[in-house]
Amino acid sequence: MELGLVRAKAEAAPNEYDMTILFPTWSDDLGRQVFDLIRQHPHFLCEIGSKQISEELVHFLQQQGFVLLPQLSTVQHFCSCSDRMRPCKHLVALYSDLIARIEQNGLLLFELRGLAKDVVYQLLTGLAPSHLDSHQDCEFNSRLQAVDTYYPNVCKISPSQWKGELTAESFWQLSSPLPTDKRVVARRVSGIAVKKQGDFPSFWVDSNSFIEAMEQLYEQVKSKNKSFLDE
């Protein structure tokens, strides 16, 4: 796979056929316009960060005049076989394989539109490709420090330093009571991690949809804790 181009070979003994698919590509200026729009919507940035392209993003770009998924009529495909029907069975198999790859990595759509992977990340973050490879200017990584232990250091104190009478009860209990306010602020939790697994992930053995089962579970938990949320 190259920018805007897919090449493959189909082996059908004793013959071998060459296949090519050409996609209409975007200019660099058009790519910048697309990502200027995407950067204005954080949830789209999260999708692309997880290598997913949702129908919502495709529809949004289409409304703005940018077609991410090209129509089949604008795609050129060739196969060296003698079949009269186009696309032939070899090209259909190649299209199917390409779709499966895009489902695993949605960023391939931008490569088919002529935008290299490092260019896509540069348009998203404003970082140069060399920085993306080394991650040296990442603020988070610059703050990482090695530690000797995962546990905090224990400070020893003498009985004379303990305020009040030192008893087992005063040692293990808090010096002041816990707050009695039961009000809980309801927060919306992103469902991207769940929905990314799809309706039937590999670990899901039931016949019903995994996403629907999770939605029902969330609703049950929400309804059981409604009294706390309303207080």
Side-chain angles (χ1 to χ4, degrees):
M1 180 183 296
E2 304 173 25
L3 297 182
L5 175 65
V6 177
R7 289 194 179 99
K9 291 183 179 291
E11 295 183 358
N15 301 317
E16 185 178 81
Y17 305 112
D18 295 319
M19 296 174 292
T20 304
I21 302 178
L22 293 172
F23 291 85
T25 57
W26 288 344
S27 63
D28 292 341
D29 182 63
L30 190 60
R32 281 192 293 270
Q33 295 179 41
V34 169
F35 282 97
D36 285 343
L37 288 172
I38 292 176
R39 283 199 302 270
Q40 299 175 17
H41 300 270
H43 61 291
F44 289 150
L45 289 175
C46 290
E47 288 182 8
I48 295 178
S50 59
K51 299 182 180 181
Q52 300 296 314
I53 303 295
S54 66
E55 294 183 6
E56 182 185 359
L57 174 56
V58 174
H59 183 65
F60 168 76
L61 293 178
Q62 190 170 0
Q63 287 181 325
Q64 305 300 319
F66 303 102
V67 181
L68 181 58
L69 294 175
Q71 299 293 327
L72 186 59
S73 58
T74 64
V75 179
Q76 303 179 47
H77 44 238
F78 308 94
C79 182
S80 60
C81 72
S82 58
D83 292 357
R84 295 183 179 181
M85 183 178 295
R86 286 293 184 272
C88 62
K89 57 180 177 290
H90 310 110
L91 286 170
V92 170
L94 179 57
Y95 275 117
S96 299
D97 180 72
L98 186 59
I99 291 173
R101 292 173 183 266
I102 292 174
E103 289 179 347
Q104 294 294 323
N105 182 6
L107 296 183
L108 293 178
L109 278 175
F110 294 109
E111 293 190 40
L112 295 178
R113 280 303 200 176
L115 301 177
K117 180 171 61 176
D118 57 345
V119 174
V120 170
Y121 284 119
Q122 184 179 5
L123 291 173
L124 283 172
T125 63
L127 300 177
S130 59
H131 292 160
L132 291 170
D133 293 336
S134 62
H135 300 282
Q136 291 179 351
D137 64 335
C138 179
E139 182 180 356
F140 174 76
N141 286 339
S142 65
R143 296 198 304 264
L144 295 180
Q145 297 180 355
V147 295
D148 297 329
T149 177
Y150 291 114
Y151 304 98
N153 294 327
V154 179
C155 298
K156 297 181 178 180
I157 61 173
S158 62
S160 60
Q161 294 176 295
W162 187 268
K163 296 181 180 180
E165 184 182 0
L166 181 58
T167 63
E169 183 178 0
S170 63
F171 179 81
W172 291 108
Q173 291 185 354
L174 298 175
S175 57
S176 59
L178 293 173
T180 58
D181 189 0
K182 295 183 179 180
R183 288 180 299 176
V184 179
V185 179
R187 299 182 182 272
R188 296 182 62 87
V189 180
S190 173
I192 293 178
V194 173
K195 292 186 176 181
K196 184 179 177 181
Q197 301 292 336
D199 288 314
F200 299 98
S202 57
F203 61 83
W204 189 250
V205 296
D206 292 347
S207 59
N208 61 320
S209 168
F210 170 68
I211 295 178
E212 291 181 358
M214 291 299 100
E215 289 177 348
Q216 293 175 5
L217 176 61
Y218 292 157
E219 287 298 325
Q220 292 176 5
V221 173
K222 182 179 179 181
S223 61
K224 288 183 178 180
N225 292 276
K226 189 175 184 301
S227 59
F228 292 97
L229 297 176
D230 292 340
E231 289 182 0

